[in-house]
Amino acid sequence: MVYAQPKVLTPSRNDVLVLTPWLAPIIWEGTFNIDILNEQFRLQNTTVGLTVFAIKKYVVFLKLFLESAEQRFMVGHKVTYYVFTDRPADVPQVPLGAGRKLVVLTVRNYTRWQDVSMHRMEMISRFSEQRFLHEVDYLVCADVDMKFSDHVGVEILSALFGTLHPGFYSSSREAFTYERRLKSQAYIPRDEGDFYYAGGFFGGSVVEVHRLTKACHQAMVEDKANGIEAVWHDESHLNKYLLYHKPTKVLSPEYVWDQKLLGWPSIMKKLRYVAVPKNHQAIRN
Amino acid sequence: MYQPLNLTIGVTVFAVGKYTCFIRPFLESAEKFFMRGYQVHYYLFTHNPAAVPRVLLGPGRLLSIIPIQGHSQWEEISMRRMETINKHIANRAHQEVDYLFCLDVDMVFHNPWGPETLGDLVAAIHPGYFAVSRQQFPYERRQLSAAFVADNEGDFYYGGAVFGGRVARVYEFTRGCHMGILADKANGIMAAWQEESHLNRHFIWHKPSKVLSPEYLWDDRKPQPPSLKLIRFSTVEKDNSWLRS
């Protein structure tokens, strides 16, 4: 394979941090050569699982989510979509490319949207053990009310990854919306914290995602028993977990963005996975 | 992050012929700077165990002396290292260590070398070539050799004096290099920089998961550039013609 020589004395980006203090790469456009990475992952015949929850009215987001994933998510690699839904009949028929399949997993719904969100951890954890372990190498756990607007590929894959929340990448840690009440399992004191990670896009190897989702679920059960619910639900617990179990890759906010709220600043060379407009009142019922 | 894992780090080092004179400074400086706080097992390969000086080691740190055959040609000694390391892993090291580093002995540690260097497969950038273009890398350029690298290929020029990783990966790596060395022997050719040439070819096709900057492999004869904040491991002043005779 012929490609340009990497330059030891020229950083790939001089406007952003590309490596965490624990030496995990932070993935921004310009930091990676996708051809080299594709070759490495194809050699391993990598299969990627993508979990997405479409509960009650959220089924309406599936068509655009899946169609855009077909164009932009892990193209050229084996992909299995795991669609968790309480309305299997409403899962749209989206034509899939070669080596890509869709599995519908029927699950219960919850009345409160917070519970729907939080129980994703429990469901991913359960299915990881029973099924995902034998079917895929990596799991990507994504929100459904989004679309893929640019390339999202194997550059994200590693043992454990989180994504920088687009609302907090330039904030100081005191301003992160971590859970601040000691009583909660998700509590993080004001002088701690590396980043604020987004609850809508995380993943890793099946083993590591199982560990993470199991830990978050158990922490939420504990909180419920103690009569408390973390301020940002599963996202609060995700942040606690990743603080003490550091991710091996961190994705830049290119990988979770909201153009309506945040525009298109110059440090974002690509907007890869973006919010789809939704009426919160109507959809959360 | 690494400390709770109770890891053991192995180090292979070869001191054959007159190179036994480097053992003391290597070990004494390693005791001060290499993987402090971790369990370390030095594997010292030498033709002359009697020439190995007594060096006091800290707790949790061991030295095993492994006798090997000497050879009249220094190039031969250098190239047999791949095979020796590979066999040693199969015989012993795979049971005794989690990570293994293979280091040259004619070097000294000047600053900490810690868990930041641990990875599945680790290479170090050669201090002489980090600022030049790949056409000037001293790769083996004869197509007949198993270590051949074309003009438009290559990421970095790695130094043969430092490589390592998880024990199983080092096993595969040294095997691959040794196979290349044998193939060359059968074709009556020896690569330009002996096993370093084979190492470099191999690292193009099996990319390291971690690359150490020239801080981890420096040549004291070079002036220290501003980009180099710290020198951790570097060559000892020596007279090659005397040593190799």
Side-chain angles (χ1 to χ4, degrees), chain A residues 4 7 24 56 72 83 102 127 133 154 175 179 183 188 200 222 253:
Chain A
K7 290 179 157 45
K56 297 189 283 188
R72 309 216 155 88
V83 177
L102 188 142
F127 280 87
L133 198 55
V154 295
E179 173 53 63
K183 193 172 163 196
I188 296 175
E222 177 93 14

Side-chain angles (χ1 to χ4, degrees), chain B residues 152-217:
Chain B
N152 57 6
E153 289 173 328
D155 303 300
F156 304 102
Y157 191 75
Y158 302 107
V162 172
F163 66 92
R166 285 208 162 269
V167 124
R169 298 295 299 273
V170 177
Y171 178 79
E172 289 162 9
F173 181 80
T174 50
R175 187 178 152 76
C177 288
H178 180 59
M179 294 290 116
I181 291 170
L182 282 182
D184 274 10
K185 249 201 165 119
N187 288 321
I189 189 171
M190 179 160 75
W193 285 99
Q194 299 81 48
E195 85 275 20
E196 186 176 90
S197 304
H198 291 275
L199 173 143
N200 268 281
R201 155 113 189 176
H202 218 75
F203 273 137
I204 296 175
W205 271 265
H206 305 84
K207 296 196 191 303
S209 63
K210 197 171 259 187
V211 176
L212 306 182
S213 70
E215 293 173 9
Y216 293 84
L217 174 50

Side-chain angles (χ1 to χ4, degrees), chain B residues 8 16 23 29 33 55-56 64 68 73 141 151 163 166 185 214 237 244:
Chain B
T8 306
V16 178
I23 297 172
S29 63
F33 293 114
V55 173
L56 193 61
S64 291
I68 52 164
Q73 294 212 286
R141 301 297 189 181
D151 269 342
F163 66 92
R166 285 208 162 269
K185 249 201 165 119
E237 266 289 332
R244 289 170 178 173

Side-chain angles (χ1 to χ4, degrees), chain B residues 28-124:
Chain B
E28 283 178 348
S29 63
E31 282 301 292
K32 275 180 76 179
F33 293 114
F34 181 82
M35 297 289 176
R36 285 289 287 247
Y38 290 81
Q39 285 166 111
V40 172
H41 197 146
Y42 303 100
Y43 298 108
L44 178 56
F45 297 86
T46 182
H47 71 302
N48 188 2
V52 177
R54 315 216 92 198
V55 173
L56 193 61
L57 302 182
R61 299 169 81 98
L62 292 170
L63 170 68
S64 291
I65 300 172
I66 299 153
I68 52 164
Q69 257 194 317
H71 212 278
S72 49
Q73 294 212 286
W74 71 267
E75 296 94 338
E76 187 64 29
I77 297 167
S78 190
M79 298 224 285
R80 287 225 166 263
R81 295 193 303 175
M82 288 294 179
E83 178 183 26
T84 307
I85 293 166
N86 181 261
K87 289 208 163 99
H88 173 67
I89 293 174
N91 291 337
R92 253 185 96 164
H94 77 279
Q95 292 166 319
E96 295 176 347
V97 303
D98 303 292
Y99 291 87
L100 187 67
F101 281 101
C102 306
L103 305 177
D104 271 7
V105 74
D106 53 353
M107 314 275 292
V108 160
F109 294 89
H110 299 285
N111 270 295
W113 176 307
E116 72 282 357
T117 61
L118 297 177
D120 285 352
L121 186 62
V122 182

